[in-house]
Amino acid sequence: MAQFVKKDDDRDEEAEYSPFLGIEKGAVLQEARVFNDPQLDSRRCSQVITKLLYLLNQGETFTKVEATEVFFSVTKLFQAKDIGLRRMVYLIIKELSPSSDEVIIVTSSLMKDMNSKTDVYRANAIRVLCRITDGTLLTQIERYLKQAIVDKNPVVASAALVSGIHLLQTNPEIVKRWSNEVQEAVQSRAALVQFHALALLHQIRQNDRLAVSKLVTSLTRGTVRSPLAQCLLIRYTSQVIRESSMNNQGGERRFYDFLEGCLRHKAEMVIFEAARAITELNGVTSRELTPAITVLQLFLSSSKPVLRFAAVRTLNKVAMSHPMAVTNCNIDMESLISDQNRSIATLAITTLLKTGNESGVDRLMKQITNFMSDIADEFKIVVVDAIRSLCLKFPLKYRTLMNFLSNILREEGGFEYKKAIVDSIVILIRDIPDAKESGLLHLCEFIEDCEFTYLSTQILHFLGVEGPKTSDPSKYIRYIYNRVILENATVRASAVSTLAKFGAVVDSLKPRIFVLLRRCLYDNDDEVRDRATLYLNTLGGDGSVVETDKEVKEFLFGSLDIPLVNLETSLKNYEPSEEPFDISSVPREVKSVTLAEKKSAGKKPTALGAPAATPISTVDTYEKLLSSIPEFSSFGQLFKSSAPVELTEAETEYAVNVVKHIFDKHVVFQYNCTNTIPEQLLENVAVVVDASEAEEFAEVVTKPLKALPYDTPGQTFVAFEKPEGVPAVGRFSNVLKFFVKEVDPSTGEVEEDGVEDEYQLEDSEIVAADYMLKVGVSNFRNAWESLGPDFERVDEYGLGPRESLSDAVSAVITLLGMQPCEGTEVVAGNSRSHSCLLSGVYIGNVKVLVRLSFGVDSSKEVAMKLAVRSEDESVSDAIHDIVAN
């Protein structure tokens, strides 16, 4: 073996250390030649196989030649009599996964071992054969596998059953023929055999609901002795109960009685599995929960940490839906706050915070105070979230809980931990009016010593929104101006903006604010000086004439509804002149580029007016192109242009895609066409559009293309009129019509005579999302509050069965065509609920914000709550209509 590296004394004791450190594939393959020695050294061969297995499990790949050489060398080791080496041989053969032509070489040796008198050989040979064999060979050894399933030796029987579980995925028809033998194995006295047999039998019958119900019914009468198998049976019983209740079949009472009976089993794992199953049943009543809660309460005082952890974690979940049912366990859980296992202690605290009553809050917070210093940040964040929920539950206790949050905010901790505390305080300030003043002061005290720039700027931003609304705004000015003096440039700039917000709202503070802002004009950072100058000018602190009070507040407190990338590009393209920069000229659509578009960029010729450049230049080019065509010049300002949609298959004679241009009263289809046949010239090219499935649209203009030479993109246009401001939708069938003239490729001469021809294109659609611009907001919460509840519309919808919650979220985002905010389009794996924030601008330049709340049940049925706020009541209703229809 490779020499072991001595562990340094000064290394961290917990650092990972591997005896295989530094081994290389090439050296190990050289060592593998030992398999060919006439006199085999079993110990050395085992060591080399161990190294090979380590490399394979670390992701090292062997070439076909290397794998074949190792495989053939390993097969020679079957002649060795050492049992330990033989087991290593089985392992390496399974890992190498030989091809079908190589399997034949070891088949005879494995079949010989399968019928050996040595049980260890038999069991391992079965596992390997079933791993590497195909359907043809499986039929030859099926008889041996059936015998092995009912073998008296439990090791052999378990090996055959586990192999059957794996083979069921690839050869289900063969495995299903073993039902009788598997049924017999279920009655085995060996615990592991009964466990594996039950698992295989259930998998064989899992697609037959009635068969599963009969299996569970027969086994719940007491024929299962293995604790492992009993745990499986409990899970299958829970599944039958859920399916019965969903289908209103009834009869699940006897199954519940079985689960309750398992609470009196002698095995702790069975008791816990039954208790957890009862707590997870849909619609379980408090009376039905009681026996399960009682046994979990007993586990809380167990000497085994795993039982304490399992019990408190289950009770933690129960507390979310049935907090009153868990209150009897509170005394036992309080004793777990000092548990040596920090995971148990954290779960105990969060459960107590969910189930505790108002009178016990003070006592509980004292216990938690001592506990917080002993746990890692990840556990502290869980506790902070639970405290926030408790404060919202008992708002009269906000002083105690706010003081606790303030105290731990000043202690040592990482960014995520501090951010969780700040977020909690912010939520409490917003939801509990009485907590505003004390909460803001706590935040002001925190930024005096805050080491995180992001948190400082966020607190200052929040202070600028909430501080001026308090009874005494002047007391916050000192804290804010201290940031201008003592902090880095980013925080100083944010503090200048906050001062300006106080000056805009509180007239009595304006003179003081002007003095402070003038001091900022001498700052050594450009951003700070520029902001001070801008705000002095805006507020009139430099003696200039200012805008109205409403305009000033809109400027300071309104959200920026223009994507920063678009604004940056427009500013770069702006040429200084007598006319000032017009911010309304900045496109507000966010162009999302798919992976396929990125890969295809530069490969496929793009038509004039559809350049593969940045989103801004694309929008600008479309607008210039359309305004240059007299027929479209009267349509007004372009609201939105879609991404090109392909109307032909790849590699066809003619490549056509369509871009949809949306105006208030019109829709223009721009068909980008490319002729891919060198021997043809197309003339009078036009697309004939049938709008019979789009009743609200009336064709007004068709602009054909005079000529379309080989490999030279061109455009033809069709314009439709629609009701003004109405999000009309419809399907349009398209046929490309043209005259074909033959071209001599060698000379380029074109024949005079042509033939009229046509080419069927894919249908195009105008959908609701075409009337929505993807426009992000820098701060969704502020934007939501600034729109106000006047035109808010809320309703709930059933989205039907979905493969996953992520699919449902993506479908709604696509349907509405809005911009996801703050990364909320990403759904955590196996999540049962999710919230998504969307923003956009609806046709007519109406701001729209959407809050989506999703939930999915065990049958994958998805429900959604949709909350819409906009500047226009009809637009809020229109968004709901889109989802409802």
Side-chain angles (χ1 to χ4, degrees), residues 289 657 808:
L289 273 176
N657 64 51

Side-chain angles (χ1 to χ4, degrees), residues 455-471:
L455 288 182
S456 294
T457 56
Q458 291 300 302
I459 291 171
L460 286 167
H461 174 75
F462 180 69
L463 194 58
V465 176
E466 297 293 334
K469 302 174 186 175
T470 58
S471 59

Side-chain angles (χ1 to χ4, degrees), residues 426-677:
V426 166
I427 290 171
L428 297 181
I429 290 171
R430 283 190 172 141
D431 293 355
I432 305 174
D434 292 341
K436 180 176 289 186
E437 304 234 356
S438 61
L440 289 175
L441 279 176
H442 289 317
L443 292 178
C444 287
E445 291 167 0
F446 168 62
I447 58 173
E448 294 278 287
D449 302 309
C450 180
E451 58 185 305
F452 302 109
T453 297
Y454 173 82
L455 288 182
S456 294
T457 56
Q458 291 300 302
I459 291 171
L460 286 167
H461 174 75
F462 180 69
L463 194 58
V465 176
E466 297 293 334
K469 302 174 186 175
T470 58
S471 59
D472 184 12
S474 61
K475 63 185 175 185
Y476 306 109
I477 302 299
R478 175 176 63 86
Y479 295 102
I480 299 168
Y481 188 65
N482 281 348
R483 299 306 95 215
V484 178
I485 302 171
L486 303 172
E487 282 286 2
N488 59 51
T490 304
V491 178
R492 294 203 305 274
S494 183
V496 169
S497 298
T498 304
L499 285 172
K501 290 175 180 176
F502 273 77
V505 177
V506 187
D507 290 335
S508 61
L509 289 177
K510 267 190 180 180
R512 186 178 173 188
I513 297 295
F514 289 159
V515 172
L516 299 178
L517 289 177
R518 289 191 191 103
R519 291 179 187 174
C520 297
L521 296 175
Y522 302 100
D523 196 276
N524 59 8
D525 182 73
D526 290 343
E527 175 73 15
V528 176
R529 292 197 305 273
D530 288 348
R531 288 197 187 194
T533 304
L534 171 65
Y535 295 137
L536 279 169
N537 181 272
T538 304
L539 298 171
D542 58 356
S544 60
V545 179
V546 300
E547 295 87 345
T548 64
D549 189 52
K550 182 181 178 182
E551 289 173 332
V552 170
K553 290 180 180 177
E554 175 64 27
F555 172 69
L556 286 170
F557 295 97
S559 61
L560 182 67
D561 60 353
I562 296 171
L564 292 179
V565 63
N566 295 12
L567 179 60
E568 181 185 6
T569 307
S570 294
L571 287 170
K572 286 179 179 177
N573 295 337
Y574 171 67
E575 296 178 2
S577 63
E578 293 181 2
E579 292 187 11
F581 175 77
D582 184 6
I583 198 166
S584 64
S585 65
V586 180
R588 293 189 288 180
E589 182 177 7
V590 178
K591 174 72 164 65
S592 55
V593 183
T594 63
L595 184 62
E597 287 173 328
K598 290 178 182 176
K599 289 181 178 179
S600 62
K603 295 182 181 179
K604 194 170 182 178
T606 53
L608 176 66
T614 63
I616 307 309
S617 63
T618 302
V619 173
D620 289 344
T621 307
Y622 283 142
E623 195 149 22
K624 290 176 183 176
L625 173 69
L626 293 169
S627 61
S628 67
I629 300 172
E631 291 88 339
F632 307 145
S633 59
S634 62
F635 287 1
Q637 186 175 2
L638 175 65
F639 174 70
K640 177 182 178 180
S641 296
S642 73
V645 178
E646 298 297 331
L647 300 181
T648 56
E649 298 289 337
E651 310 300 329
T652 54
E653 305 98 302
Y654 313 111
V656 181
N657 64 51
V658 65
V659 177
K660 297 171 283 186
H661 302 294
I662 310 296
F663 296 84
D664 275 347
K665 294 177 63 177
H666 296 86
V667 172
V668 177
F669 292 98
Q670 174 185 327
Y671 297 93
N672 301 311
C673 310
T674 305
N675 173 18
T676 63
I677 304 176

Side-chain angles (χ1 to χ4, degrees), residues 27 60 79 87 99 215 259 342 352 377 411 449 657 682:
E60 190 74 59
Q79 59 188 306
R87 297 180 74 177
S99 57
L215 172 66
L259 294 179
R342 298 291 84 184
L352 286 167
D377 280 5
E411 295 174 359
D449 302 309
N657 64 51
L682 308 185

Side-chain angles (χ1 to χ4, degrees), residues 22-68:
I23 67 171
E24 296 180 356
K25 182 176 75 171
V28 177
L29 291 174
Q30 289 289 331
E31 288 185 64
R33 293 179 178 177
V34 71
F35 301 156
N36 299 317
D37 289 352
Q39 296 295 322
L40 290 174
D41 183 341
S42 297
R43 185 171 179 273
R44 192 177 173 203
C45 288
S46 294
Q47 291 174 346
V48 175
I49 292 177
T50 303
K51 290 183 182 180
L52 288 168
L53 289 168
Y54 172 78
L55 290 172
L56 287 167
N57 281 283
Q58 290 298 307
E60 190 74 59
T61 55
F62 287 11
T63 65
K64 177 68 175 172
V65 174
E66 290 169 345
T68 302

Side-chain angles (χ1 to χ4, degrees), residues 47-253:
Q47 291 174 346
V48 175
I49 292 177
T50 303
K51 290 183 182 180
L52 288 168
L53 289 168
Y54 172 78
L55 290 172
L56 287 167
N57 281 283
Q58 290 298 307
E60 190 74 59
T61 55
F62 287 11
T63 65
K64 177 68 175 172
V65 174
E66 290 169 345
T68 302
E69 286 181 358
V70 170
F71 174 72
F72 279 111
S73 300
V74 166
T75 57
K76 297 176 182 177
L77 300 180
F78 273 104
Q79 59 188 306
K81 302 299 182 185
D82 186 89
I83 293 179
L85 176 58
R86 182 68 62 88
R87 297 180 74 177
M88 297 300 290
V89 170
Y90 294 136
L91 283 174
I92 191 67
I93 290 175
K94 278 205 300 183
E95 289 297 324
L96 289 171
S97 298
S99 57
S100 55
D101 52 340
E102 295 169 346
V103 167
I104 301 170
I105 298 166
V106 292
T107 301
S108 58
S109 298
L110 289 171
M111 290 186 72
K112 182 180 176 183
D113 283 356
M114 196 166 68
N115 294 292
S116 168
K117 293 181 179 179
T118 307
D119 289 333
V120 175
Y121 285 2
R122 292 170 62 203
N124 284 302
I126 289 170
R127 291 177 184 271
V128 177
L129 262 176
C130 292
R131 174 72 177 268
I132 66 176
T133 190
D134 57 12
T136 307
L137 181 60
L138 188 60
T139 55
Q140 298 176 22
I141 62 172
E142 183 182 5
R143 178 168 59 89
Y144 299 106
L145 292 174
K146 283 184 175 182
Q147 291 173 354
I149 288 172
V150 293
D151 196 276
K152 292 181 181 179
N153 188 296
V155 177
V156 176
S158 271
L161 289 164
V162 171
S163 298
I165 293 171
H166 292 303
L167 287 171
L168 195 63
Q169 312 302 318
T170 54
N171 296 276
E173 296 305 319
I174 294 177
V175 177
K176 285 177 181 178
R177 297 201 293 258
W178 306 350
S179 290
N180 292 335
E181 286 77 13
V182 177
Q183 187 82 50
E184 186 177 338
V186 170
Q187 308 304 322
S188 171
R189 290 184 174 275
L192 214 55
V193 173
Q194 192 173 48
F195 169 64
H196 288 139
L198 179 56
L200 178 55
L201 191 60
H202 179 264
Q203 285 199 24
I204 290 173
R205 300 181 179 180
Q206 63 182 349
N207 294 324
D208 186 343
R209 189 179 298 166
L210 183 60
V212 171
S213 181
K214 286 181 177 178
L215 172 66
V216 170
T217 302
S218 64
L219 293 177
T220 52
R221 291 170 183 160
T223 57
V224 176
R225 289 176 291 274
S226 161
L228 285 169
Q230 189 83 349
C231 288
L232 265 188
L233 182 58
I234 289 170
R235 294 184 181 184
Y236 299 153
T237 304
S238 300
Q239 179 187 345
V240 171
I241 292 174
R242 280 195 300 272
E243 291 176 350
S244 299
S245 61
M246 283 168 53
N247 295 303
N248 298 318
Q249 292 178 346
E252 63 264 19
R253 184 68 215 179

